[in-house]
């Protein structure tokens, strides 16, 4: 990108581009219209898969300024790529290569406008970092439960625009379920006043839900009213091992029955997921493997005693305090052992052990990256279909792509797997991807569709899956989506060529 | 209606109307196209406020037949009023007086297509009566939590089309929150295949949420995949009394903190609500009033010892069984007593006492109907604004409409009040309504808006509140709704002049 100066930077005044930049500067001030070099953070996604080139990066500081920017762009017919923390995984927030798009960064809109402790709501601006939202709630001893790996960088506006998922969906739902109201700038640069902490409001169409998950293609979310929850008195974590996914599904069913809504997390990991963590991150303890919870694990030691075939991480958040919570969790695990659903289990004795268990799960993406490039899938199927999906798809992959390795982990409680395919041992990952990625994707997505699933459970469509979506989504749904896009953004200003 | 034969009934063949009827008969069979007299159940709402007159009532038996009916109507330019159990409160399912609309009854689509116990979902057709849906789930020891007064008659399709609320919203959400997928017939007579039990699916716009709550104006819901829950091991009910709404809000906050998601109901009743029940339905026990839980209450006896100013009905559904549940509920009430939030409390000792407590709450609409016509409001404000809303609005009503009486009860946990205004004692209810309804509505809705509330919390807009909505809803939102209506139903076939 550095090799090319964006159009407009050195062009004489009164050119069309200069007019646009002048109008944008009029809207947000000289210093908040960035052009030229040094804009990598805005023009390249963090995984370095998408590298674009913007006319300008504009950083409004208020919703009125956002509206003005949209009006300027609408007037000049310039398309807009809204951007939050720029942590997306599907290229939805990176400008294209035309040098003709404006990146509209929401990062300066980061006020917490209100916390209403009796209504259990907070109203925050789109650019608030997720972790800051969690922290602002925690100051009042309240919980904002959305939690995901990028929470130190991603913004709540981006979370809502992509309907983010994460590790607490089983109990609290996706970002959509945590939002009661939105403020949105429309394609005409008007402000939709939809904030407010109402739990019931049946006055017309669900505009809020339409904007949530639309990935910046229908409007620009500038603020949101979010649900909060009393902070649970105790949060406990356990690790259990079992022989196959059917047992994991049966354990989930039992856990939901015994723990109800206090079951807040239920994560599945296959053996290879844990083996890669043990190999690349040996400092992380590997309980229920070598019979020890200390950090002695290594791949070689594991050869003698193989890694458990499947591991489940359970989290329970209980209002009744730690003793009651531990009693319930241990009773559940004892019952599961008795029923033969699990082989072994360990409950974290303190916060530090609990963090270690989560670390085991959260280190998998890093460990697999260390192992080499792989073919990622963020898929969901009904929970009841998980065992058949895994068995059938694993087998088919082995037949058609012999030796390929499955790094299979994810949010079993939501039917959501990160079902990633790694090159066979000793084979070049780059070559494997180049030669087999298309066929692997086809195979996996065919299986997902056969089980009534989704090709994007929580990461969205963006640029990455837009073409695939045209083959996989109900054509009636696709046609309706296009009509909605045309109705709400007739000029096609907002994030063109994304989603639809 | 009986006095007038619908057009088409006796007209000669080959008239436009006869052509339509022929085509409809071709779509669903002779016997399922009803014309002429005896159609009151379809043409008049149950509260007898709306009385229309249809070209025909058509009763398709499959989704394919629904699609054909829509195609026939689209071809002839005939508008369609979709209808479920016809229990709505806002005139959304009754045809107009033109004799030119087709009532499309979904009542024959009543199959339970699938129950998936491991995925905790069921797929049912739109015409399933809510109680039948609950019962089908209960057969598998599972809970479908949507519950409301009309559950013996209303259909799940109508519940979804109106985003129904009810008594379990605090824990489980509205109908919207209980639905994972929809099958919908579009205005072109195509079938949107959106069923499926996925808890995460980020592949495009939230079409499901757009149809839910659209009151039949955007498409016809023909089937839905619903969330189920393990049946709680124990459900307990308690009644508490307090001096004012501020204390009730503080009790709610404490209950949410101590009981978490096991708090499934939190209903508020003012004194007059209970007094009317005591007067008109003296067989219902009135605990915490005369110091007795037996049914001796009467209005005269109450004169000596006044009815508690405010009463709260709490429900707790616990996975841990009855003993643990009772311990938790009693501990909560003891803490509330100690903090001075409540004056007294009683926990139902068994299912029969629990039903009596609920009966007390559920009898209020009947008791107020016995007392005479009144001006009804189904409003919501943020929970934190409830005390100020009640205090200010009560006072203003007394100033401008001296002697008027407030029957104020509802789902405090959701910020939703049925804030109903009754004529002063001894004054004609009919005259009060005729002379003061418009001014009372204006006053109440002004207050609702001033507190950031909604003029329709759970009943919808229909015909009743459509005009009011144009004054109360954000104009940007209204304009967007009209664009969406035009995009998805360009001919305006579906339930015209409702909602937008």
């Amino acid at each position: 990108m550095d090799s090319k100066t964006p159009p407009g930077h050195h062009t004489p005044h009164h050119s069309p581009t200069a007019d646009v930049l002048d109008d944008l500067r009029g809207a947000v001030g000289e210093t908040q219209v960035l052009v030229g070099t040094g804009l990598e953070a805005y023009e390249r996604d963090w995984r370095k898969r998408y590298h674009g080139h913007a006319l300008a990066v504009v950083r409004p500081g208020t919703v009125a300024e956002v509206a003005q920017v949209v009006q300027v762009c609408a007037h000049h017919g310039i398309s807009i790529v809204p951007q939050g923390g720029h942590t997306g995984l599907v290229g939805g927030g990176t400008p294209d290569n035309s040098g003709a798009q404006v990146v509209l960064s929401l990062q300066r809109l980061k006020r917490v406008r209100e916390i209403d402790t009796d209504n259990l709501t907070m109203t925050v601006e789109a650019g608030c970092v997720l972790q800051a939202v969690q922290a602002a709630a925690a100051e009042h001893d309240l919980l904002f439960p959305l939690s995901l790996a990028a929470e130190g960088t991603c913004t709540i506006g981006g979370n809502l625009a992509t309907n983010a998922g994460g590790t607490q969906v089983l109990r609290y739902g996706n970002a959509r379920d945590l939002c009661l109201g939105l403020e949105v700038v429309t394609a005409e640069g008007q402000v939709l006043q939809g904030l407010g902490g109402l739990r019931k409001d049946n006055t017309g169409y669900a505009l809020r839900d339409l904007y949530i998950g639309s990935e910046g293609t229908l409007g620009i979310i500038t603020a949101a009213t979010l649900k909060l929850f009393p902070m649970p008195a105790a949060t406990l974590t356990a690790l259990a091992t079992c022989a196959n996914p059917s047992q994991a599904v049966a354990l989930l069913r039992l856990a939901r029955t015994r723990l109800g809504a206090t079951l807040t997390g239920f994560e599945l990991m296959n053996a290879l997921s844990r083996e890669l963590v043990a190999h690349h991150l040996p400092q992380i303890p590997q309980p229920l493997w070598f019979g020890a919870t200390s950090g002695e694990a290594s791949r070689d030691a594991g050869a003698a005693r193989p890694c458990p075939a499947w591991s489940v991480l359970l989290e329970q958040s209980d209002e009744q305090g730690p003793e009651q919570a531990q009693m319930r969790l241990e009773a559940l695990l004892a019952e599961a052992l008795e029923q033969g659903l699990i082989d072994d289990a360990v409950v974290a004795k303190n916060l530090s052990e609990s963090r270690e268990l989560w670390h085991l799960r959260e280190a998998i993406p890093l460990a697999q990256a260390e192992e080499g490039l792989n073919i990622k899938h963020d898929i969901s199927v009904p929970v009841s279909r998980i065992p058949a999906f895994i068995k059938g798809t694993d087998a088919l992959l082995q037949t058609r792509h012999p030796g390929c390795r499955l790094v299979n982990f994810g949010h079993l409680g939501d039917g959501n797997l990160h079902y990633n395919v790694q090159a066979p041992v000793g084979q070049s990952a780059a070559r494997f991807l180049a030669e087999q990625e298309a066929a692997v994707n086809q195979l996996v997505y065919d299986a997902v569709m056969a089980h009534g699933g989704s090709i994007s459970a929580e990461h969205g469509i963006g640029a990455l899956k837009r073409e695939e979506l045209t083959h996989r989504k109900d054509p009636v749904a696709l046609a309706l989506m296009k009509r909605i896009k045309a109705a709400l953004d007739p000029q096609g200003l907002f994030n063109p060529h994304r989603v639809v």
Side-chain angles (χ1 to χ4, degrees), chain A:
Chain A
M1 181 212 69
D2 298 1
S3 61
K4 195 175 159 191
T5 308
H9 190 58
H10 294 301
T11 47
H13 265 285
H14 307 301
S15 77
T17 297
D19 285 349
V20 175
L21 292 175
D22 281 351
D23 290 352
L24 290 172
R25 288 180 185 119
V28 300
E30 287 281 337
T31 57
Q32 301 301 340
V33 178
L34 315 181
V35 293
T37 58
L39 300 178
E40 288 83 357
Y42 301 97
E43 295 180 325
R44 191 170 65 189
D45 80 307
W46 67 278
R47 293 209 298 172
K48 304 184 185 174
R49 298 285 182 95
Y50 295 89
H51 190 175
H53 181 53
L55 171 63
V57 174
V58 181
R59 295 163 43 91
T62 64
V63 59
E65 287 186 3
V66 174
Q68 271 187 279
V69 170
V70 172
Q71 286 166 23
V72 166
C73 290
H75 175 74
H76 292 283
I78 300 282
S79 66
I80 296 172
V81 179
Q83 198 178 84
H86 208 186
T87 60
L89 294 161
V90 291
T94 314
D96 66 22
N97 276 310
S98 65
Q101 296 188 307
V102 162
V103 169
L104 194 159
S105 169
L106 278 305
Q107 285 180 318
R108 287 181 62 226
L109 273 79
K110 56 182 179 190
R111 278 195 311 140
V112 174
R113 291 195 193 163
E114 191 196 12
I115 296 186
D116 183 340
T117 57
D118 272 337
N119 197 43
L120 294 176
T121 50
M122 70 194 295
T123 298
V124 299
E125 293 183 342
C128 285
V129 169
L130 175 53
Q131 215 163 56
V133 175
Q134 297 164 345
E139 272 179 35
H140 295 264
D141 207 26
L142 294 171
L143 173 72
F144 181 64
L146 188 68
S147 179
L148 44 92
E151 63 196 24
T153 311
C154 64
T155 61
I156 191 66
N159 298 148
L160 290 164
T162 59
N163 188 29
T167 56
Q168 303 283 296
V169 174
L170 180 58
R171 159 71 179 97
Y172 298 102
N174 292 293
R176 178 190 310 288
D177 303 293
L178 297 170
C179 177
L180 292 173
L182 287 183
E183 179 187 83
V184 175
V185 172
T186 70
E188 285 73 35
Q190 290 185 300
V191 181
L192 170 67
Q193 305 284 4
L195 294 173
L198 300 180
R199 279 168 171 81
K200 281 183 177 169
D201 178 16
N202 277 349
T203 57
Y205 304 153
L207 298 174
R208 176 192 64 208
D209 290 305
L210 197 52
Y211 289 112
I212 294 173
S214 69
E215 303 185 32
T217 63
L218 298 180
I220 299 177
I221 296 170
T222 51
T225 306
L226 306 171
K227 285 187 201 168
L228 302 176
F229 296 82
M231 193 70 80
T235 298
L236 285 188
T237 315
L239 187 75
T241 57
C242 56
N244 54 56
S246 293
Q247 292 190 324
V249 167
L251 175 64
L252 172 63
R253 181 78 165 76
L254 184 68
R256 291 200 60 169
T257 303
R258 294 291 178 258
L259 303 182
T262 68
L263 180 68
T264 47
F266 197 99
E267 302 282 316
L268 182 72
M269 299 171 267
N270 75 347
L272 182 57
S273 304
R274 293 192 61 185
E275 284 164 356
L276 290 181
V277 172
H279 182 64
H280 293 288
L281 302 155
Q283 70 277 19
I284 298 178
Q286 290 283 354
L288 304 184
W289 186 346
F290 309 107
T293 55
S294 58
E296 258 68 46
S298 83
R299 212 177 205 179
D300 295 335
R305 193 177 163 189
C307 176
W310 295 89
S311 303
V312 170
L313 184 72
L314 297 95
E315 189 189 78
Q316 186 201 2
S317 301
D318 205 310
E319 288 76 20
Q320 294 172 100
E323 278 164 45
Q324 189 64 27
Q326 186 158 346
M327 233 167 61
R328 293 179 75 177
L329 192 52
E330 283 174 356
L332 165 75
L333 295 169
E335 191 177 356
L337 265 172
E338 202 171 302
Q339 291 186 19
L341 302 181
I342 58 176
D343 300 324
D344 204 352
V346 59
V347 178
K349 280 183 220 64
N350 49 48
L351 194 62
S352 137
E353 280 189 22
S354 171
R355 283 199 185 127
E356 278 179 7
L357 290 182
W358 271 108
H359 201 180
L360 192 64
R361 158 67 183 82
E362 285 166 351
I364 297 170
L366 181 58
Q368 71 176 349
E370 290 289 323
E371 185 74 6
L373 281 178
N374 56 49
I375 307 170
K376 291 189 200 305
H377 306 102
D378 163 43
I379 60 97
S380 64
V381 296
V383 171
S384 53
R385 309 296 285 270
I386 289 269
F389 168 81
I390 292 176
K391 194 176 174 188
T393 316
D394 281 11
L396 210 53
L397 279 168
Q398 287 310 326
T399 306
R400 298 210 199 140
H401 305 271
C404 75
R405 295 174 298 157
L406 271 305
V407 185
N408 185 1
F409 64 100
H411 319 292
L412 183 65
D414 318 316
N416 177 195
L417 296 176
H418 299 301
Y419 187 82
N420 300 336
V421 184
Q422 202 111 25
V425 177
Q427 204 176 104
S428 147
R431 191 171 154 189
F432 177 70
L433 261 68
E435 290 177 357
Q436 305 193 38
E437 182 163 19
V440 166
N441 284 343
Q442 169 104 20
L443 188 161
V444 171
Y445 291 145
D446 283 352
V448 166
M449 300 310 288
H451 287 283
S454 164
I455 65 163
S456 184
E458 56 176 8
H459 296 165
I461 298 301
L464 180 68
K465 293 186 181 171
R466 185 168 169 250
E467 169 67 18
E468 191 71 44
L469 191 69
T470 63
H471 308 301
R472 303 295 181 177
K473 188 93 177 173
D474 176 35
V476 176
L478 281 174
L480 291 167
M481 283 165 52
K482 281 182 186 154
R483 286 204 219 168
I484 289 168
K485 170 70 175 174
L488 299 194
D489 179 19
Q491 267 191 279
L493 284 182
F494 286 153
N495 224 1
H497 311 301
R498 305 291 154 76
V499 187
V500 288

